[in-house]
Amino acid sequence: MPDTPAPPPVILGDEPGSFPHGVLAERHPAIIRQVRDAFPYDPAVHHALDALLESCTKGVIEPLPADAHDVARWRDWGLDGYVGRSWFDVPWLWSESYFYRRLLDAVGYFGPGVWQGIDPFRPFKLAELDAPETDEELAALDALETRPAAERAPALLHGSLWGNRADLGFRLSDSGAATRDAVPALVADDSEALWALLAPADKAPTVCLIADNAGRELIPDLLLAAHLLTTGRAGRVVLHVKPYPYYISDATPADVVDALRRLTSAPGAAAEHGRRLWEAIAVGTLTVRAHPFSAAPLPFTELPPDLRAECAGAALTIVKGDLNYRRLVGDRRWPPTTPFADVTAYFPGPVAALRTLKSDVITGLSARTESDLIAAEGQRWRTGGTHALVQVRP
């Protein structure tokens, strides 16, 4: 038998002009400046932020403090092998994740001190929840309630897929939006396979939903969970979020509460959905988990045994967002036509990816789709957030 070909190289941030290089060289310094201005931090925090800025732009990766609560975990995640190396010369997924961990150290998130437990990204998350656009999107749920069930399910799926990149209100209130507007921008669409795995059955299954962002993106994720529960497509939904603030807007348990409060305080159908979800948590049909691995700088091939067992027992694991897609398929330079089923064959149960394209990695495209995208846009289609996909491996 022929040897299995070696996987392509892991994506680094060492190529000037590349998308990963821009994140490390430009986005991370901008995030430090945003966080600095978001709170009246004391001089010690300002000094720590200055040091992190110097480190991530001109310096090298430094170790965590010896007394950090998770230093042993990060050493297991590869820290010792990367200390002293440039942020640009280690796997991009790893360097991004470690940047956010060091940012939390700089602002005193893990304490002790007055800033302990205060999310440095919270002002941005709340501003998004309070935006007028959110009111419009929630109001659209009233119109959606009058649509046939066959129209509601695709609308909610596409609302979750596009998240805050697109106008959820338009998609929910217009029954044709899913086919007229969103679908032409899907570079792959296995929606029918997804619904087939969640056909209502006598014994309603468990669905794992690995969430991505907080704010206006988390709300449609919660609405999708509510739909699965109320229609019997799922008897239980396990919502996986991050254990601490991460990637600016990634959802934490506190963000779930904020989103539910936003729903329950809205008028009409939104409030009813919020109350049902609140009750679902109380009775255990909706479970919120914040496993440490959710913020690990590693691909899902490294899932710990407890998470592997949970996903193996689920009828479907839905993986939301760009970062989670990178972790699912491996943040590597895959040829775009590499079959999605091949790179996710390791996953312990059926898995679906709902992703808006915001980074280079991609799998599962047809040769025709790839060539058409390149002819129309060069390589911008990979990172601009104007395309999306629904991919399923049963």
Side-chain angles (χ1 to χ4, degrees), residues 130-142:
D130 293 339
E133 293 84 356
T134 307
D135 290 324
E136 297 170 5
E137 291 165 1
L138 294 180
L141 289 170
D142 293 333

Side-chain angles (χ1 to χ4, degrees), residues 22-246:
V23 169
L24 297 176
E26 301 169 16
R27 183 183 297 180
H28 287 180
I31 290 169
I32 292 173
R33 290 190 287 270
Q34 285 180 305
V35 167
R36 180 197 299 274
D37 295 339
F39 289 92
Y41 287 124
D42 54 61
V45 172
H46 281 273
H47 177 75
L49 289 172
D50 289 340
L52 178 60
L53 179 61
E54 180 74 12
S55 170
C56 68
T57 54
K58 302 177 183 178
V60 297
I61 293 169
E62 299 174 359
L64 288 174
D67 60 351
H69 74 282
D70 55 352
V71 65
R73 182 180 301 142
W74 275 92
R75 295 183 72 178
D76 288 341
W77 290 345
L79 178 59
D80 290 348
Y82 296 140
V83 166
R85 297 173 62 179
S86 167
W87 292 83
F88 296 86
D89 294 336
V90 305
W92 181 42
L93 176 63
W94 199 98
S95 59
E96 276 195 291
S97 296
Y98 193 60
F99 166 78
Y100 287 99
R101 176 60 184 81
R102 291 309 307 265
L103 181 62
L104 293 183
D105 258 351
V107 299
Y109 179 84
F110 293 112
V114 297
W115 302 109
Q116 183 177 25
I118 295 180
D119 183 347
F121 310 125
R122 183 170 172 79
F124 318 127
K125 295 173 179 178
L126 292 180
E128 190 174 278
L129 276 180
D130 293 339
E133 293 84 356
T134 307
D135 290 324
E136 297 170 5
E137 291 165 1
L138 294 180
L141 289 170
D142 293 333
L144 184 65
E145 291 296 299
T146 67
R147 303 291 188 183
E151 294 181 7
R152 291 199 299 270
L156 290 167
L157 181 67
H158 281 275
S160 179
L161 168 63
W162 286 98
N164 58 11
R165 177 61 187 85
D167 183 356
L168 174 64
F170 172 67
R171 299 182 192 287
L172 293 184
S173 61
D174 184 345
S175 63
T179 55
R180 187 173 60 253
D181 184 38
V183 168
L186 295 186
V187 299
D189 186 7
D190 294 338
S191 299
E192 290 187 9
L194 185 152
W195 293 120
L197 288 168
L198 296 177
D202 292 336
K203 185 177 181 181
T206 293
V207 173
C208 292
L209 174 55
I210 301 178
D212 188 30
N213 292 325
R216 288 173 61 202
E217 183 170 345
L218 183 58
I219 284 178
D221 291 348
L222 289 169
L223 294 174
L224 178 60
H227 171 78
L228 297 178
L229 291 170
T230 56
T231 59
R233 294 179 184 269
R236 178 171 173 257
V237 173
V238 182
L239 181 69
H240 288 267
V241 297
K242 304 302 188 295
Y244 49 73
Y246 187 67

